[in-house]
């Protein structure tokens, strides 16, 4: 039972354009959501998070949107840069601290 | 300050061998987590410590898996009688106490069981 889903295994975006990565969840108890970025042979690196009491959080080029009624969140990166090429994981938690991850989306920025 | 450190980075084990994976969390981080990441999948929760107390071990796949954090700092994940299906990357993360704190991950240990 996959409680956090990232339905796009890969995404290619032109440099300078907007990258939109999507994530759906099924457990309505989740109250905190995070995006992590992962380069090969490295551990996941925290990118941005959002609490369920908000619908948007912005940090520089990165914005996360949360739609609780649709159980959907998205990560917007604008403008996209070559260094953004990585695997992006959506994660969720509630109550205790363990994270439930999606399967990841591989983002490729085309120069 | 150093990040989360894991050793070894790579481990090759013969089926049936016992292995021990080490995690050094960020200094002062009360919470420590172990995750297992199979190829092409996201990390999956194994177990969680707050200081030396193991508060959640619901993700451990079998009784061959055992984790400890005896002094509330360094943690060891032990896998007994390894099987091929144990092949994965084992990730350790640490965070400050309390929910909604960012988890910082180590680079992981890639375990290959032959």
């Amino acid at each position: 039972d996959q409680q956090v889903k990232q339905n796009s295994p890969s995404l290619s975006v032109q440099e300078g354009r907007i990258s939109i990565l999507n994530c759906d969840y099924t457990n309505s108890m989740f109250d905190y959501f995070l995006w992590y970025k992962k380069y090969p042979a490295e551990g996941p690196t925290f990118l941005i998070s959002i609490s369920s009491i908000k619908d948007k959080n912005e940090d520089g080029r990165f914005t996360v949107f949360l739609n609780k009624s649709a159980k959907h969140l998205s990560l917007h990166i604008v403008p996209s840069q070559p260094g953004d090429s990585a695997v992006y994981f959506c994660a969720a938690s509630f109550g205790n601290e363990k994270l439930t991850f999606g399967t990841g989306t591989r983002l490729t920025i085309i120069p | 300050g150093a990040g989360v450190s894991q050793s070894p980075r790579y481990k090759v084990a013969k089926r049936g061998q016992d292995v021990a994976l080490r995690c050094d969390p960020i200094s002062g981080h009360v919470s420590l987590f172990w995750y297992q990441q199979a190829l092409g999948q996201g990390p999956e929760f194994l177990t969680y410590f707050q200081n030396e107390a193991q508060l959640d071990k619901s993700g451990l796949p079998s009784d061959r898996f055992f984790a400890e954090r005896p002094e509330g700092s360094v943690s060891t994940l032990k896998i007994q009688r390894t099987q091929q299906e144990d092949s994965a990357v084992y990730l350790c993360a640490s965070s400050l106490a309390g929910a909604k704190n960012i988890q910082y991950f180590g680079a992981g240990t890639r375990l290959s069981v032959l």
Side-chain angles (χ1 to χ4, degrees), chain A residues 34-54:
Chain A
L34 308 89
W35 285 94
Y36 280 84
K37 174 180 177 179
K38 188 179 181 306
Y39 293 120
E42 295 184 12
T45 302
F46 171 75
L47 205 52
I48 192 169
S49 62
I50 187 167
S51 170
S52 61
I53 61 173
K54 295 186 175 182

Side-chain angles (χ1 to χ4, degrees), chain A residues 3-108:
Chain A
Q3 297 189 66
V4 178
K5 301 177 185 178
Q6 294 177 256
N7 292 318
S8 297
S10 63
L11 176 68
S12 294
V13 174
Q14 207 77 30
E15 182 180 357
R17 299 286 187 108
I18 183 170
S19 296
I20 300 176
L21 295 94
N22 294 303
C23 177
D24 297 292
Y25 61 95
T26 56
N27 190 338
S28 57
M29 296 291 290
F30 287 140
D31 62 358
Y32 190 56
F33 304 89
L34 308 89
W35 285 94
Y36 280 84
K37 174 180 177 179
K38 188 179 181 306
Y39 293 120
E42 295 184 12
T45 302
F46 171 75
L47 205 52
I48 192 169
S49 62
I50 187 167
S51 170
S52 61
I53 61 173
K54 295 186 175 182
D55 54 18
K56 177 183 173 181
N57 189 25
E58 194 171 350
D59 184 2
R61 296 186 298 115
F62 303 93
T63 304
V64 56
F65 295 92
L66 175 63
N67 182 334
K68 285 194 297 293
S69 60
K71 296 193 181 68
H72 177 83
L73 64 157
S74 61
L75 174 68
H76 292 211
I77 307 172
V78 55
S80 300
Q81 300 175 351
D84 296 331
S85 294
V87 177
Y88 289 77
F89 289 98
C90 170
S93 72
F94 70 94
N96 64 6
E97 303 182 41
K98 72 181 184 186
L99 298 178
T100 301
F101 284 85
T103 51
T105 296
R106 181 178 300 278
L107 176 65
T108 302

Side-chain angles (χ1 to χ4, degrees), chain B residues 45-95:
Chain B
F45 171 79
L46 293 176
T47 187
Y48 156 52
F49 291 86
Q50 193 167 96
N51 295 306
E52 67 278 5
Q54 190 173 19
L55 298 187
D56 187 346
K57 55 181 180 180
S58 62
L60 296 176
S62 78
D63 58 8
R64 296 186 295 104
F65 286 70
F66 172 76
E68 59 183 6
R69 193 186 185 197
E71 297 176 359
S73 178
V74 170
S75 177
T76 304
L77 176 67
K78 297 179 179 176
I79 309 173
Q80 297 176 324
R81 305 181 304 282
T82 52
Q83 304 294 315
Q84 280 191 319
E85 61 263 28
D86 299 336
S87 296
V89 175
Y90 290 85
L91 293 164
C92 176
S94 70
S95 73

